[in-house]
């Protein structure tokens, strides 16, 4: 299926209008046959196209050493590993809670992968009752995220949670 998803980032960005558009496009973009990684990568591209955030990406939980590992993302190069409880991402995982950080400089232990990032939203993803990944959104604007983002993004993330890789006969289907 061909997709030509274009959003005008120059128009005043009204999230109340933009989110329904994005949710609609995400529903048609999501590919049940493609696995988690492919869909997560497209989700990052879709949010970047729709909102122009500085960094949009996933970190996946590696239980063996309690570490988050960099997953699909859009934006500048980033830290590849984050320990549980470290930074905003590691804290969201540890507490199993979404974290809205209006000013990253005020967040003790914030990991500054880029000094351009000023505010942040991190949302844990679940599978089989456990946190398996986090979505990390970084903005160059202070106080750029609020409850309305969480409310709009959580239903979209359900599709990705449903696509979390399962192990069948020893083979990881991703
Ligand atoms: N800011 C994050 C680290 C990840 S990067 O910004 C991409 C944190 O403190 O968890």
């Amino acid at each position: 299926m061909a997709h030509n998803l274009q959003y005008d980032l120059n128009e005043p960005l009204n999230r109340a209008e933009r989110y329904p558009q994005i949710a609609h496009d995400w529903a048609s973009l999501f590919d049940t046959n493609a696995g988690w990684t492919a869909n997560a990568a497209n989700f990052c591209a879709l949010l970047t196209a729709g909102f122009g955030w500085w960094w949009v990406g996933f970190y996946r939980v590696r239980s063996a050493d309690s570490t988050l590992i960099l997953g699909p993302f859009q934006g500048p190069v980033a830290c590849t590993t984050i320990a549980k409880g470290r930074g905003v991402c590691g804290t969201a995982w540890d507490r199993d809670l979404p974290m809205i950080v209006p000013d990253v400089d005020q967040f003790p232990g914030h990991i500054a992968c880029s000094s351009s990032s000023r505010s942040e939203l991190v949302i844990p993803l679940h599978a089989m009752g456990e946190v398996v990944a986090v979505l990390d959104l970084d903005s160059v604007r202070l106080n750029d995220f609020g409850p309305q983002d969480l409310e709009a993004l959580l239903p979209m993330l359900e599709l990705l949670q449903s696509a979390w890789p399962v192990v069948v006969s020893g083979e990881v289907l991703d």
Side-chain angles (χ1 to χ4, degrees):
M1 188 194 297
H3 290 277
N4 183 22
L5 306 174
Q6 291 181 333
Y7 309 99
D8 185 354
L9 292 178
N10 294 316
E11 73 192 28
L13 204 54
N14 179 342
R15 291 193 191 177
E17 285 175 18
R18 181 58 53 88
Y19 268 123
Q21 237 184 320
I22 297 280
H24 176 268
D25 290 337
W26 172 230
S28 69
L29 197 60
F30 185 81
D31 183 344
T32 47
N33 290 317
W36 190 83
T37 303
N39 282 296
N42 258 350
F43 189 66
C44 296
L46 182 64
L47 293 187
T48 298
F51 295 103
W53 288 316
W54 174 252
W55 199 89
V56 174
F58 292 91
Y59 281 90
R60 281 190 257 220
V61 166
R62 187 168 67 190
S63 320
D65 59 355
S66 288
T67 303
L68 290 171
I69 308 293
L70 183 62
F73 72 96
Q74 293 266 317
V77 295
C79 323
T80 49
T81 62
I82 298 175
K84 191 173 190 179
R86 293 286 318 282
V88 184
C89 292
T91 303
W93 172 24
D94 196 28
R95 295 184 188 168
D96 191 357
L97 283 176
M99 308 278 302
I100 297 171
V101 179
D103 179 353
V104 294
D105 290 337
Q106 303 303 317
F107 188 92
H110 171 252
I111 300 165
C113 289
S114 159
S115 57
S116 299
S117 174
R118 308 296 305 282
S119 61
E120 188 161 339
L121 168 62
V122 178
I123 307 175
L125 273 71
H126 300 88
M128 299 153 292
E130 306 222 324
V131 178
V132 290
V134 299
L135 171 66
D136 180 10
L137 307 178
D138 293 357
S139 172
V140 295
R141 288 176 291 277
L142 278 172
N143 201 16
D144 203 15
F145 300 104
Q148 79 279 14
D149 297 292
L150 202 51
E151 198 180 314
L153 290 164
L154 281 171
M156 287 192 253
L157 288 173
E158 276 172 24
L159 277 179
L160 277 180
Q161 290 171 137
S162 72
W164 189 256
V166 289
V167 180
V168 177
S169 307
E171 184 191 358
V172 178
L173 304 177
D174 184 5

